[in-house]
Amino acid sequence: MIGFPASLERLVQLFTRLPGIGRKSATRMALKLLTSPEAECAELAGAIMDARTRTIGCSICGGLTEDDPCAICSDARRDPSTVCVVERPSDILALERTGRFRGRYHVLGGLLSPLDGIGPENLRIDRLLDRLEGKTIAEIILALNPTAEGEATALYVARLLSQRGINVTKLASGLPVGGELDLADELTLGTALDERRAV
Amino acid sequence: MIGFPASLERLVQLFTRLPGIGRKSATRMALKLLTSPEAECAELAGAIMDARTRTIGCSICGGLTEDDPCAICSDARRDPSTVCVVERPSDILALERTGRFRGRYHVLGGLLSPLDGIGPENLRIDRLLDRLEGKTIAEIILALNPTAEGEATALYVARLLSQRGINVTKLASGLPVGGELDLADELTLGTALDERRAV
């Protein structure tokens, strides 16, 4: 049986290492590149290395940046007394897109998951405590996924912060805006009911 | 609003140019690369350029290869009197995986599609005729997609070849092996009925 030429096969293999990319997608992507101008391939190859070498984690919040500290941590107009705690750097972008938050962020770098061997020492929790030490903190907003691991992590962090007398909140759970009530799963709808608010 | 660092944003943009990759997939892929060892990124960047520069189209069949002519065209054990005509190089691999064909291939490089401005002159049909000129040809198998464009292209090529007295066949249409009869669409089931064979 004849397969792909070796160099093409290798590219397909490497593409399948990326998240969400199976053999079929990887093949389509690789074949597309083969028929693209060589300059476009060079552009992509260069961009991969550029992104990898230039993008670093902010030494304060852990967000992705090319300059340390990042644009948010070094922006004096952003309220340092309100810190929003997220799991991943990409969560910062999602929150920034809302345009509703003017404080700072802190990336945990994961969620507690004892089964996967991820304990508090593997997350940036110590760094959060160090960062808050001696500062006046109005509020810490926990913006973690409303999953079992997210909730467990939120509980753990909230307890540590409460011991230090810090005001801790977490994002509201409920119906997605624009969604339909009868399409919501029972957990979401139940939470929306439990946490109903005065109009 | 704060977005991704510029180098990361550029990588995401370039990934979205690949087929089947939207903004979300591109972001996941790019973020995965950022957290991979730099050597892995270099490996991927190198593989892209390697595949692009080393893989060429076989001057005879149009299949993908690193050496010209390709392994199939230069394999004396493969019957040159039987040629299977396919749309794309990747179709050759699909047919090779069946292990049922011992002839040669010819890649058209597309299908007739007047609405998209793709006429016979845009396909490798002339090259097929040149290639067959003066040779003893037992059979040309048209292995094109059983779609409107595939059928139209097959008809066009079949007519040209028949004029030259060449025996032309096409792949059978019918029920997918292992599929269920009541899940087949009516066109497929109708074709399977029309083209039923003696047991």
Side-chain angles (χ1 to χ4, degrees), chain A residues 1-11 14-15 17-21 23 25 27-29 31-38 40-55 64-66 71-72 78 89-90 92-93 96-99 102, chain B residues 1-11 14-15 17-21 23 25 27-29 31-38 40-55 64-66 71-72 78 89-90 92-93 96-99 102:
Chain A
M1 199 196 102
I2 299 289
F4 278 140
S7 56
L8 177 58
E9 179 60 35
R10 182 156 160 264
L11 178 56
L14 291 179
F15 273 147
R17 287 197 203 161
L18 296 173
I21 305 297
R23 173 89 199 174
S25 308
T27 304
R28 284 181 69 197
M29 288 161 59
L31 289 173
K32 167 77 200 255
L33 286 174
L34 288 194
T35 53
S36 300
E38 199 171 321
E40 279 184 23
C41 293
E43 197 181 357
L44 178 58
I48 289 171
M49 294 314 293
D50 257 15
R52 179 63 184 80
T53 53
R54 288 198 198 167
T55 310
L64 296 173
T65 181
E66 292 185 4
I72 296 177
R78 300 203 56 143
S90 53
I92 295 179
L93 265 88
E96 285 295 290
R97 277 195 294 270
T98 69
R102 296 301 300 163
Chain B
M1 198 197 102
I2 298 289
F4 279 140
S7 56
L8 178 57
E9 180 60 36
R10 182 157 159 262
L11 179 57
L14 291 179
F15 272 148
R17 288 196 201 161
L18 296 174
I21 304 298
R23 172 89 199 174
S25 308
T27 304
R28 285 181 69 195
M29 287 160 59
L31 288 173
K32 167 77 202 252
L33 287 174
L34 288 194
T35 53
S36 300
E38 199 171 322
E40 278 185 25
C41 293
E43 198 181 356
L44 177 60
I48 289 172
M49 294 314 293
D50 257 15
R52 179 62 184 79
T53 51
R54 288 198 199 167
T55 310
L64 296 174
T65 181
E66 292 185 3
I72 296 176
R78 300 203 56 143
S90 53
I92 295 179
L93 264 87
E96 285 295 291
R97 277 196 294 269
T98 68
R102 297 300 301 161

Side-chain angles (χ1 to χ4, degrees), chain A residues 65-171:
Chain A
T65 181
E66 292 185 4
D67 307 298
D68 190 27
C70 73
I72 296 177
C73 288
S74 54
D75 183 348
R77 291 164 305 176
R78 300 203 56 143
D79 177 12
S81 74
T82 312
V83 179
C84 183
V85 175
V86 297
E87 178 190 348
R88 293 164 307 187
S90 53
D91 297 329
I92 295 179
L93 265 88
L95 286 158
E96 285 295 290
R97 277 195 294 270
T98 69
R100 307 274 188 95
F101 182 67
R102 296 301 300 163
R104 309 280 176 102
Y105 292 95
H106 191 86
V107 176
L108 289 184
L111 295 175
L112 293 178
S113 178
L115 290 178
D116 300 319
I118 301 176
E121 68 284 1
N122 302 114
L123 306 181
R124 298 178 73 254
I125 295 176
D126 284 351
R127 300 241 215 143
L128 174 63
L129 299 178
D130 289 349
R131 181 178 167 188
L132 304 179
E133 190 67 41
K135 303 266 171 50
T136 309
I137 299 298
E139 180 182 0
I140 300 289
I141 304 170
L142 300 177
L144 303 174
N145 290 339
T147 57
E149 286 163 355
E151 296 290 355
T153 309
L155 208 64
Y156 180 86
V157 175
R159 197 169 300 155
L160 284 179
L161 295 173
S162 300
Q163 286 167 359
R164 285 162 176 77
I166 296 173
N167 176 31
V168 185
T169 60
K170 66 169 194 163
L171 295 188

Side-chain angles (χ1 to χ4, degrees), chain B residues 111-132:
Chain B
L111 295 175
L112 293 178
S113 178
L115 290 178
D116 299 319
I118 301 177
E121 68 283 1
N122 302 113
L123 306 182
R124 298 177 74 254
I125 295 176
D126 285 350
R127 300 241 214 144
L128 175 64
L129 299 178
D130 289 350
R131 181 178 167 187
L132 303 179

Side-chain angles (χ1 to χ4, degrees), chain B residues 74-113:
Chain B
S74 54
D75 183 347
R77 290 164 306 176
R78 300 203 56 143
D79 177 12
S81 74
T82 311
V83 179
C84 184
V85 175
V86 296
E87 179 190 348
R88 294 164 306 188
S90 53
D91 297 329
I92 295 179
L93 264 87
L95 286 157
E96 285 295 291
R97 277 196 294 269
T98 68
R100 306 276 188 93
F101 182 67
R102 297 300 301 161
R104 309 279 176 101
Y105 292 96
H106 191 85
V107 177
L108 289 184
L111 295 175
L112 293 178
S113 178

